[in-house]
């Protein structure tokens, strides 16, 4: 299917929100911005073992839950291997289609707003210090109308944050250590790792590559990357990401309706991660709150990171509807508010000015152009692997291409690609045992790098 076909969307009648309306990408942005190659410095990995033991030890015992974590967070591990590769091949032109960091400049309409706010801080009239922990009223209102128009989500249900990953951890603090949780397998590693750190799990079981006490909901090509809920055990919390990182699969309205019913029947809370919602090209739901009844069972977390290149700027939001209650009737939003006020002092006022600019008509259009650019990258990657005879998933509604290497070990394929092409990908098994035999290729990259990477893939696998 052509990209333009992919991008044409059908109208969602329930809303007048620009977010829910069909996306039309301005295809004029076909050239990537050429930037001088970055000097590649070694990436420090938190999981790197300390080579030298210090002689003195404190009397503080290590958090036993953190000690349960395996090897290190996936992406630092990928970065560590990339750094090792660069030590081996110092002159290699390494192309990173690995960790999923954005590469294209932030549109000027957005940075101008941040610059203006920033300069204002140097004036008496423009200075502001701590803001509301939940975010600025104007931004919360703009988020509500842009992304949740007619869905019954109100400004005060929205908590502005420094990103979805940070909110995932704050939500875990709200839930505490006594809850059980389910994740899609494979899934974005922050759900599992934060659960382990909170003490919700048992030890890692090497034979099955899973932590005890987590329900892994297998998502494979065979089940259309949507779990067979009849085989899923009840848990308190269900993390669900759509469009999914890493598989790129976006759940249908029918699937999400089943998920909401499953949660309601079990008295569970869904944490719905919609960090890639704007990449959806067809009529699949962009928000869990498009599903009737979801406000009583779901929280949604979202981010400007992959829409506007805010991975470094840091801005996201989480929706906790006031209708969502704990078993004793206490509103989840009140506890989340308490954690936000205790553990976080509000998103940067400069970032929030940027976020507001993203939601202006010009900003929204510019943001969609950036997304359209990455989607064209995705198409190039998908076509490359298709032409080489690989089975490829995702890509249509997400900036990730999920390439199948049946019967092979993901880390072996990762190493083969890195060794022979100097391209960094991400091994599927890093996202859970269900990712074994797959490699994730990210579409975040300058156009010339994506084209060069595809040329190298063709050389390797032709
Ligand atoms: C599914 C998913 N959720 C959350 C995040 C983190 O987003 P943020 O940059 O807002 O913390 C990512 C980043 O890659 C992601 O893939």
């Amino acid at each position: 299917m052509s990209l333009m076909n992919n991008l044409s969307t059908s109208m969602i009648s329930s809303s007048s929100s620009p977010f829910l309306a069909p996306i039309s990408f301005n295809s004029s942005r076909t050239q990537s911005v050429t930037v001088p190659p970055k000097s590649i410095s070694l990436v420090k990995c938190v999981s790197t073992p300390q080579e030298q033991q210090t002689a003195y030890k404190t009397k503080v015992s290590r958090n036993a839950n953190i000690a349960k974590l395996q090897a290190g967070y996936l992406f630092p591990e990928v970065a560590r291997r990339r750094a090792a590769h660069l030590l081996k091949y110092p002159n290699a032109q390494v192309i990173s289609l690995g960790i999923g960091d954005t590469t294209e400049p932030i549109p000027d309409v957005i940075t101008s707003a941040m610059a203006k706010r920033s300069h204002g801080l140097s004036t008496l009239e423009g200075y502001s210090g701590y803001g509301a922990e939940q975010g600025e009223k104007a931004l919360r209102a703009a988020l509500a109308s842009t992304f949740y128009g007619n869905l019954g989500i109100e400004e005060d249900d929205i908590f502005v944050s420094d990103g979805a990953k940070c909110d995932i951890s704050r939500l875990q603090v709200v839930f505490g250590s006594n809850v059980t949780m389910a994740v899609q397998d494979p899934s974005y590693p922050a759900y599992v790792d934060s659960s382990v750190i909170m003490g919700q799990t048992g030890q890692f079981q090497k034979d099955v590559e899973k932590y005890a006490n987590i329900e892994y909901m297998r998502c494979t090509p065979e089940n259309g990357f949507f779990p067979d809920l009849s085989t899923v055990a009840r848990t308190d919390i269900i993390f669900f990401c759509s469009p999914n990182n890493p598989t790129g699969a976006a759940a249908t309205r029918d699937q999400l309706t089943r998920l909401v019913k499953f949660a309601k029947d079990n008295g569970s809370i869904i944490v719905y991660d919609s960090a890639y919602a704007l990449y959806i090209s067809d009529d699949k739901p962009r928000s869990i709150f498009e599903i009737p009844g979801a406000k009583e069972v779901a929280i949604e977390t979202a981010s400007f990171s992959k829409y506007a290149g805010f991975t470094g700027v840091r801005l996201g939001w989480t929706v906790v509807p006031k209708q969502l209650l704990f078993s004793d009737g206490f509103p989840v939003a009140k506890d989340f508010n308490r954690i936000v006020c205790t553990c976080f002092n509000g998103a940067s006022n400069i970032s929030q000015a940027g976020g507001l600019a993203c939601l202006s008509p010009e900003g929204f259009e510019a943001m969609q152009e950036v997304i359209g650019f990455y989607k064209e990258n995705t198409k190039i990657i998908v076509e490359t692997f298709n032409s080489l005879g690989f089975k490829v998933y995702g890509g249509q509604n997400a900036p990730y291409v999920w390439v199948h290497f049946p019967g092979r070990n993901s880390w072996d394929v990762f190493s083969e690609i890195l060794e022979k092409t100097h391209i960094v990908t991400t091994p599927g098994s890093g996202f859970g045992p269900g990712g074994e035999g797959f490699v994730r290729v990210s579409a975040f990259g300058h156009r010339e790098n994506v084209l060069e990477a595809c040329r190298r893939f063709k050389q390797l696998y032709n």
Side-chain angles (χ1 to χ4, degrees):
M1 204 193 296
S2 82
L3 178 71
M4 290 324 288
N5 278 346
N6 289 349
L7 298 183
S8 74
T9 61
S10 61
M11 186 71 144
I12 295 169
S13 55
S14 66
S15 175
S16 58
S17 150
F19 173 64
L20 300 172
I23 299 170
S24 73
F25 291 118
N26 179 346
S27 59
S28 65
R29 190 194 162 90
T30 50
Q31 276 308 109
S32 70
V33 177
T34 310
V35 292
K38 280 183 196 163
S39 66
I40 300 161
S41 56
L42 290 188
V43 188
K44 187 167 178 283
C45 172
V46 291
S47 66
T48 306
Q50 294 289 314
E51 273 164 26
Q52 280 185 332
Q53 295 285 328
T54 49
Y56 175 77
K57 293 190 183 90
T58 69
K59 291 180 179 161
V60 181
S61 50
R62 188 173 175 213
N63 181 334
N65 292 319
I66 296 185
K68 289 178 196 163
L69 289 170
Q70 295 304 295
Y73 189 74
L74 171 64
F75 298 114
E77 180 59 24
V78 169
R80 191 185 68 76
R81 290 185 186 223
R82 175 198 160 125
H85 184 76
L86 276 164
L87 279 181
K88 191 171 165 192
Y89 302 104
N91 298 322
Q93 294 295 308
V94 172
I95 297 176
S96 182
L97 302 179
I99 70 165
D101 194 3
T102 46
T103 55
E104 299 310 288
I106 300 171
D108 188 63
V109 60
I110 300 165
T111 49
S112 300
M114 289 194 279
K116 192 167 166 217
R117 182 69 168 266
S118 173
H119 287 306
L121 294 174
S122 293
T123 67
L124 271 180
E125 319 75 61
Y127 177 74
S128 62
Y130 289 127
E133 289 93 339
Q134 304 79 5
E136 293 173 6
K137 192 174 162 46
L139 179 56
R140 296 172 87 190
L143 287 166
S145 64
T146 306
F147 292 97
Y148 309 100
N150 296 351
L151 296 181
I153 296 297
E154 293 168 345
E155 186 184 312
D156 61 350
D157 296 323
I158 297 178
F159 296 80
V160 175
S161 75
D162 52 349
K165 196 190 219 179
C166 318
D167 273 346
I168 289 162
S169 288
R170 285 183 203 114
L171 285 167
Q172 294 282 28
V173 175
V174 170
F175 300 137
S177 54
N178 287 328
V179 295
T180 52
M181 69 101 105
V183 288
Q184 288 152 295
D185 176 23
S187 67
Y188 178 56
Y191 317 134
V192 166
D193 283 12
S194 59
S195 176
V196 174
I197 290 167
M198 281 304 296
Q200 297 165 359
T201 77
Q203 296 291 341
F204 188 72
Q205 302 166 316
K206 281 216 160 57
D207 51 339
V208 284
E209 304 268 309
K210 294 176 179 177
Y211 288 94
N213 218 27
I214 289 187
E215 179 70 13
Y216 289 76
M217 305 185 293
R218 191 53 83 105
C219 297
T220 60
E222 289 71 40
N223 61 18
F225 297 103
F226 187 80
D228 176 0
L229 295 175
S230 70
T231 65
V232 172
R234 184 212 172 265
T235 58
D236 295 312
I237 311 298
I238 304 168
F239 277 92
F240 197 92
C241 177
S242 176
N244 184 268
N245 176 9
T247 66
T252 64
R253 196 168 299 270
D254 174 60
Q255 289 170 334
L256 291 180
T257 303
R258 279 188 270 144
L259 183 69
V260 166
K261 181 174 182 318
F262 179 74
K264 207 161 241 176
D265 289 348
N266 286 317
S268 309
I269 294 176
I270 300 166
V271 178
Y272 189 79
D273 187 336
S274 66
Y276 300 95
L278 276 183
Y279 284 79
I280 294 179
S281 305
D282 52 28
D283 64 352
K284 295 200 175 72
R286 284 138 169 82
S287 164
I288 190 72
F289 300 118
E290 290 182 43
I291 308 301
K295 286 198 277 294
E296 289 163 12
V297 292
I299 290 168
E300 180 164 303
T301 188
S303 171
F304 284 100
S305 282
K306 308 297 164 81
Y307 298 171
F310 271 31
T311 47
V313 171
R314 309 303 305 149
L315 194 70
W317 69 96
T318 289
V319 183
V320 190
K322 46 182 86 57
Q323 294 87 340
L324 181 68
L325 308 176
F326 285 117
S327 57
D328 64 356
F330 197 81
V332 176
K334 284 200 173 176
D335 278 356
F336 188 62
N337 188 54
R338 185 66 186 258
I339 295 302
V340 163
C341 293
T342 304
C343 307
F344 179 55
N345 252 341
S348 146
N349 43 21
I350 299 167
S351 306
Q352 292 191 72
L356 202 52
C358 287
L359 304 182
S360 69
E362 312 78 55
F364 204 78
E365 203 183 314
M367 211 163 59
Q368 285 181 316
E369 265 184 49
V370 177
I371 292 167
F373 175 81
Y374 290 131
K375 285 179 72 88
E376 284 172 14
N377 280 351
T378 314
K379 186 182 173 233
I380 294 167
I381 297 167
V382 167
E383 281 176 357
T384 299
F385 280 101
N386 275 336
S387 75
L388 293 169
F390 286 92
K391 273 240 180 253
V392 174
Y393 303 91
Q396 205 154 318
N397 291 315
Y400 298 120
V401 182
W402 190 235
V403 189
H404 201 182
F405 291 82
R408 294 201 58 196
N409 172 286
S410 297
W411 278 109
D412 287 350
V413 179
F414 167 90
S415 300
E416 172 180 277
I417 293 173
L418 183 59
E419 183 70 25
K420 297 195 174 148
T421 67
H422 305 307
I423 297 169
V424 181
T425 56
T426 310
S429 58
F431 299 94
E436 188 56 280
F438 289 86
V439 161
R440 191 195 75 174
V441 182
S442 154
F444 294 118
H446 301 308
R447 180 61 46 81
E448 65 268 27
N449 286 346
V450 169
L451 290 171
E452 170 60 16
C454 287
R455 203 184 57 73
R456 294 185 199 172
F457 283 135
K458 282 183 178 160
Q459 261 182 355
L460 176 62
Y461 290 118
N462 231 341

mmCIF file of all heavy atoms in Angstrom, residues 26-56:
data_model
loop_
_atom_site.group_PDB
_atom_site.id
_atom_site.type_symbol
_atom_site.label_atom_id
_atom_site.label_comp_id
_atom_site.label_asym_id
_atom_site.label_seq_id
_atom_site.Cartn_x
_atom_site.Cartn_y
_atom_site.Cartn_z
ATOM 1 N N ASN A 26 1.635 17.239 4.770
ATOM 2 C CA ASN A 26 2.200 18.029 3.697
ATOM 3 C C ASN A 26 3.444 17.301 3.202
ATOM 4 O O ASN A 26 4.435 17.188 3.906
ATOM 5 C CB ASN A 26 2.560 19.414 4.270
ATOM 6 C CG ASN A 26 3.172 20.292 3.236
ATOM 7 O OD1 ASN A 26 3.560 19.807 2.178
ATOM 8 N ND2 ASN A 26 3.235 21.572 3.542
ATOM 9 N N SER A 27 3.350 16.759 2.003
ATOM 10 C CA SER A 27 4.452 15.909 1.550
ATOM 11 C C SER A 27 5.635 16.709 1.015
ATOM 12 O O SER A 27 6.585 16.153 0.507
ATOM 13 C CB SER A 27 3.952 14.944 0.486
ATOM 14 O OG SER A 27 3.440 15.698 -0.580
ATOM 15 N N SER A 28 5.557 18.067 1.147
ATOM 16 C CA SER A 28 6.671 18.858 0.627
ATOM 17 C C SER A 28 7.952 18.615 1.430
ATOM 18 O O SER A 28 9.048 18.847 0.970
ATOM 19 C CB SER A 28 6.333 20.344 0.673
ATOM 20 O OG SER A 28 6.188 20.740 2.009
ATOM 21 N N ARG A 29 7.800 18.117 2.654
ATOM 22 C CA ARG A 29 8.978 17.917 3.484
ATOM 23 C C ARG A 29 9.584 16.555 3.183
ATOM 24 O O ARG A 29 9.489 15.619 3.948
ATOM 25 C CB ARG A 29 8.563 17.990 4.956
ATOM 26 C CG ARG A 29 9.740 18.043 5.886
ATOM 27 C CD ARG A 29 9.268 17.760 7.296
ATOM 28 N NE ARG A 29 10.404 17.402 8.091
ATOM 29 C CZ ARG A 29 11.142 18.263 8.765
ATOM 30 N NH1 ARG A 29 10.847 19.510 8.766
ATOM 31 N NH2 ARG A 29 12.177 17.856 9.449
ATOM 32 N N THR A 30 10.189 16.463 2.006
ATOM 33 C CA THR A 30 10.747 15.167 1.649
ATOM 34 C C THR A 30 12.244 15.131 1.884
ATOM 35 O O THR A 30 12.838 14.077 1.945
ATOM 36 C CB THR A 30 10.485 14.833 0.177
ATOM 37 O OG1 THR A 30 10.887 15.964 -0.591
ATOM 38 C CG2 THR A 30 9.008 14.543 -0.062
ATOM 39 N N GLN A 31 12.854 16.309 2.010
ATOM 40 C CA GLN A 31 14.297 16.340 2.226
ATOM 41 C C GLN A 31 14.595 16.397 3.711
ATOM 42 O O GLN A 31 13.989 17.162 4.432
ATOM 43 C CB GLN A 31 14.886 17.600 1.591
ATOM 44 C CG GLN A 31 15.195 17.472 0.120
ATOM 45 C CD GLN A 31 16.047 16.263 -0.175
ATOM 46 O OE1 GLN A 31 15.562 15.307 -0.762
ATOM 47 N NE2 GLN A 31 17.284 16.265 0.243
ATOM 48 N N SER A 32 15.526 15.626 4.115
ATOM 49 C CA SER A 32 15.916 15.763 5.518
ATOM 50 C C SER A 32 16.864 16.948 5.636
ATOM 51 O O SER A 32 17.448 17.391 4.666
ATOM 52 C CB SER A 32 16.621 14.504 5.991
ATOM 53 O OG SER A 32 17.862 14.431 5.381
ATOM 54 N N VAL A 33 16.966 17.444 6.834
ATOM 55 C CA VAL A 33 17.907 18.515 7.070
ATOM 56 C C VAL A 33 19.283 17.903 7.199
ATOM 57 O O VAL A 33 19.467 16.901 7.881
ATOM 58 C CB VAL A 33 17.530 19.244 8.374
ATOM 59 C CG1 VAL A 33 18.525 20.321 8.708
ATOM 60 C CG2 VAL A 33 16.129 19.797 8.262
ATOM 61 N N THR A 34 20.231 18.473 6.489
ATOM 62 C CA THR A 34 21.573 17.913 6.577
ATOM 63 C C THR A 34 22.280 18.526 7.773
ATOM 64 O O THR A 34 22.330 19.737 7.908
ATOM 65 C CB THR A 34 22.374 18.235 5.302
ATOM 66 O OG1 THR A 34 21.557 17.854 4.208
ATOM 67 C CG2 THR A 34 23.680 17.480 5.268
ATOM 68 N N VAL A 35 22.758 17.698 8.612
ATOM 69 C CA VAL A 35 23.490 18.206 9.771
ATOM 70 C C VAL A 35 24.887 17.629 9.739
ATOM 71 O O VAL A 35 25.095 16.536 9.230
ATOM 72 C CB VAL A 35 22.811 17.802 11.101
ATOM 73 C CG1 VAL A 35 21.492 18.484 11.278
ATOM 74 C CG2 VAL A 35 22.670 16.308 11.211
ATOM 75 N N PRO A 36 25.866 18.377 10.243
ATOM 76 C CA PRO A 36 27.208 17.820 10.271
ATOM 77 C C PRO A 36 27.208 16.578 11.153
ATOM 78 O O PRO A 36 26.478 16.529 12.151
ATOM 79 C CB PRO A 36 28.058 18.949 10.893
ATOM 80 C CG PRO A 36 27.091 19.907 11.481
ATOM 81 C CD PRO A 36 25.773 19.699 10.823
ATOM 82 N N PRO A 37 27.974 15.560 10.760
ATOM 83 C CA PRO A 37 27.971 14.356 11.589
ATOM 84 C C PRO A 37 28.405 14.690 13.006
ATOM 85 O O PRO A 37 29.334 15.460 13.202
ATOM 86 C CB PRO A 37 28.980 13.438 10.896
ATOM 87 C CG PRO A 37 29.673 14.282 9.881
ATOM 88 C CD PRO A 37 28.889 15.526 9.646
ATOM 89 N N LYS A 38 27.692 14.131 13.949
ATOM 90 C CA LYS A 38 28.041 14.390 15.346
ATOM 91 C C LYS A 38 29.309 13.634 15.669
ATOM 92 O O LYS A 38 29.513 12.527 15.191
ATOM 93 C CB LYS A 38 26.933 13.851 16.252
ATOM 94 C CG LYS A 38 25.751 14.749 16.342
ATOM 95 C CD LYS A 38 24.766 14.152 17.329
ATOM 96 C CE LYS A 38 23.414 14.792 17.181
ATOM 97 N NZ LYS A 38 22.351 14.051 17.776
ATOM 98 N N SER A 39 30.162 14.235 16.458
ATOM 99 C CA SER A 39 31.301 13.459 16.909
ATOM 100 C C SER A 39 30.751 12.449 17.909
ATOM 101 O O SER A 39 29.968 12.783 18.790
ATOM 102 C CB SER A 39 32.345 14.363 17.563
ATOM 103 O OG SER A 39 31.821 14.896 18.723
ATOM 104 N N ILE A 40 31.103 11.223 17.690
ATOM 105 C CA ILE A 40 30.483 10.161 18.474
ATOM 106 C C ILE A 40 31.297 9.929 19.735
ATOM 107 O O ILE A 40 32.438 9.515 19.683
ATOM 108 C CB ILE A 40 30.364 8.888 17.637
ATOM 109 C CG1 ILE A 40 29.490 9.192 16.413
ATOM 110 C CG2 ILE A 40 29.780 7.751 18.424
ATOM 111 C CD1 ILE A 40 29.654 8.214 15.291
ATOM 112 N N SER A 41 30.687 10.247 20.832
ATOM 113 C CA SER A 41 31.405 10.028 22.083
ATOM 114 C C SER A 41 30.907 8.725 22.691
ATOM 115 O O SER A 41 29.851 8.229 22.340
ATOM 116 C CB SER A 41 31.151 11.189 23.030
ATOM 117 O OG SER A 41 29.776 11.320 23.211
ATOM 118 N N LEU A 42 31.654 8.191 23.594
ATOM 119 C CA LEU A 42 31.237 6.957 24.221
ATOM 120 C C LEU A 42 30.011 7.201 25.069
ATOM 121 O O LEU A 42 29.887 8.207 25.748
ATOM 122 C CB LEU A 42 32.362 6.404 25.092
ATOM 123 C CG LEU A 42 33.558 5.879 24.309
ATOM 124 C CD1 LEU A 42 34.509 5.176 25.244
ATOM 125 C CD2 LEU A 42 33.110 4.924 23.215
ATOM 126 N N VAL A 43 29.074 6.278 24.988
ATOM 127 C CA VAL A 43 27.840 6.435 25.737
ATOM 128 C C VAL A 43 28.013 5.727 27.067
ATOM 129 O O VAL A 43 28.380 4.564 27.118
ATOM 130 C CB VAL A 43 26.671 5.782 24.968
ATOM 131 C CG1 VAL A 43 25.357 6.104 25.640
ATOM 132 C CG2 VAL A 43 26.669 6.247 23.520
ATOM 133 N N LYS A 44 27.765 6.474 28.115
ATOM 134 C CA LYS A 44 27.944 5.870 29.437
ATOM 135 C C LYS A 44 26.734 4.995 29.730
ATOM 136 O O LYS A 44 25.596 5.391 29.531
ATOM 137 C CB LYS A 44 28.055 6.976 30.481
ATOM 138 C CG LYS A 44 28.403 6.462 31.851
ATOM 139 C CD LYS A 44 28.815 7.620 32.743
ATOM 140 C CE LYS A 44 29.122 7.128 34.141
ATOM 141 N NZ LYS A 44 27.915 6.847 34.899
ATOM 142 N N CYS A 45 26.983 3.814 30.159
ATOM 143 C CA CYS A 45 25.885 2.894 30.405
ATOM 144 C C CYS A 45 25.754 2.650 31.896
ATOM 145 O O CYS A 45 26.727 2.290 32.558
ATOM 146 C CB CYS A 45 26.155 1.575 29.696
ATOM 147 S SG CYS A 45 24.966 0.332 30.129
ATOM 148 N N VAL A 46 24.549 2.838 32.382
ATOM 149 C CA VAL A 46 24.359 2.656 33.818
ATOM 150 C C VAL A 46 24.580 1.200 34.222
ATOM 151 O O VAL A 46 24.824 0.907 35.374
ATOM 152 C CB VAL A 46 22.948 3.096 34.267
ATOM 153 C CG1 VAL A 46 22.783 4.595 34.175
ATOM 154 C CG2 VAL A 46 21.874 2.376 33.474
ATOM 155 N N SER A 47 24.468 0.304 33.225
ATOM 156 C CA SER A 47 24.581 -1.100 33.587
ATOM 157 C C SER A 47 26.029 -1.602 33.505
ATOM 158 O O SER A 47 26.291 -2.750 33.787
ATOM 159 C CB SER A 47 23.704 -1.950 32.681
ATOM 160 O OG SER A 47 24.189 -1.890 31.367
ATOM 161 N N THR A 48 26.934 -0.714 33.069
ATOM 162 C CA THR A 48 28.325 -1.151 32.952
ATOM 163 C C THR A 48 28.861 -1.525 34.324
ATOM 164 O O THR A 48 28.774 -0.738 35.265
ATOM 165 C CB THR A 48 29.191 -0.011 32.378
ATOM 166 O OG1 THR A 48 28.585 0.418 31.172
ATOM 167 C CG2 THR A 48 30.602 -0.481 32.109
ATOM 168 N N PRO A 49 29.409 -2.714 34.443
ATOM 169 C CA PRO A 49 29.917 -3.104 35.766
ATOM 170 C C PRO A 49 31.069 -2.202 36.195
ATOM 171 O O PRO A 49 31.867 -1.795 35.365
ATOM 172 C CB PRO A 49 30.415 -4.534 35.553
ATOM 173 C CG PRO A 49 30.000 -4.933 34.180
ATOM 174 C CD PRO A 49 29.608 -3.727 33.426
ATOM 175 N N GLN A 50 31.106 -1.884 37.451
ATOM 176 C CA GLN A 50 32.212 -1.091 37.977
ATOM 177 C C GLN A 50 33.462 -1.942 37.911
ATOM 178 O O GLN A 50 33.481 -3.078 38.366
ATOM 179 C CB GLN A 50 31.941 -0.732 39.445
ATOM 180 C CG GLN A 50 30.750 0.186 39.652
ATOM 181 C CD GLN A 50 31.030 1.594 39.179
ATOM 182 O OE1 GLN A 50 32.079 2.131 39.491
ATOM 183 N NE2 GLN A 50 30.122 2.183 38.429
ATOM 184 N N GLU A 51 34.498 -1.385 37.307
ATOM 185 C CA GLU A 51 35.700 -2.197 37.189
ATOM 186 C C GLU A 51 36.482 -2.226 38.496
ATOM 187 O O GLU A 51 37.093 -3.216 38.866
ATOM 188 C CB GLU A 51 36.561 -1.688 36.035
ATOM 189 C CG GLU A 51 36.118 -2.360 34.731
ATOM 190 C CD GLU A 51 36.622 -1.662 33.513
ATOM 191 O OE1 GLU A 51 37.672 -0.991 33.621
ATOM 192 O OE2 GLU A 51 35.977 -1.777 32.457
ATOM 193 N N GLN A 52 36.438 -1.084 39.179
ATOM 194 C CA GLN A 52 37.212 -1.041 40.419
ATOM 195 C C GLN A 52 36.260 -0.960 41.606
ATOM 196 O O GLN A 52 35.382 -0.119 41.635
ATOM 197 C CB GLN A 52 38.083 0.202 40.421
ATOM 198 C CG GLN A 52 39.340 0.024 39.596
ATOM 199 C CD GLN A 52 40.235 1.228 39.729
ATOM 200 O OE1 GLN A 52 39.759 2.336 39.977
ATOM 201 N NE2 GLN A 52 41.519 1.028 39.572
ATOM 202 N N GLN A 53 36.422 -1.830 42.511
ATOM 203 C CA GLN A 53 35.621 -1.785 43.734
ATOM 204 C C GLN A 53 36.260 -0.756 44.665
ATOM 205 O O GLN A 53 37.470 -0.737 44.824
ATOM 206 C CB GLN A 53 35.648 -3.151 44.426
ATOM 207 C CG GLN A 53 34.981 -4.253 43.627
ATOM 208 C CD GLN A 53 33.474 -4.145 43.664
ATOM 209 O OE1 GLN A 53 32.921 -3.690 44.654
ATOM 210 N NE2 GLN A 53 32.808 -4.516 42.593
ATOM 211 N N THR A 54 35.428 0.106 45.237
ATOM 212 C CA THR A 54 36.008 0.995 46.231
ATOM 213 C C THR A 54 36.175 0.199 47.518
ATOM 214 O O THR A 54 35.399 -0.705 47.807
ATOM 215 C CB THR A 54 35.103 2.212 46.481
ATOM 216 O OG1 THR A 54 33.795 1.738 46.695
ATOM 217 C CG2 THR A 54 35.131 3.174 45.331
ATOM 218 N N ALA A 55 37.198 0.544 48.287
ATOM 219 C CA ALA A 55 37.490 -0.223 49.492
ATOM 220 C C ALA A 55 36.420 -0.008 50.556
ATOM 221 O O ALA A 55 36.016 -0.937 51.238
ATOM 222 C CB ALA A 55 38.853 0.165 50.020
ATOM 223 N N TYR A 56 35.943 1.240 50.651
ATOM 224 C CA TYR A 56 34.993 1.544 51.713
ATOM 225 C C TYR A 56 33.578 1.219 51.284
ATOM 226 O O TYR A 56 33.170 1.533 50.162
ATOM 227 C CB TYR A 56 35.090 3.036 52.069
ATOM 228 C CG TYR A 56 34.039 3.442 53.092
ATOM 229 C CD1 TYR A 56 34.211 3.120 54.430
ATOM 230 C CD2 TYR A 56 32.882 4.098 52.690
ATOM 231 C CE1 TYR A 56 33.242 3.455 55.354
ATOM 232 C CE2 TYR A 56 31.905 4.438 53.612
ATOM 233 C CZ TYR A 56 32.092 4.108 54.946
ATOM 234 O OH TYR A 56 31.136 4.436 55.861
#
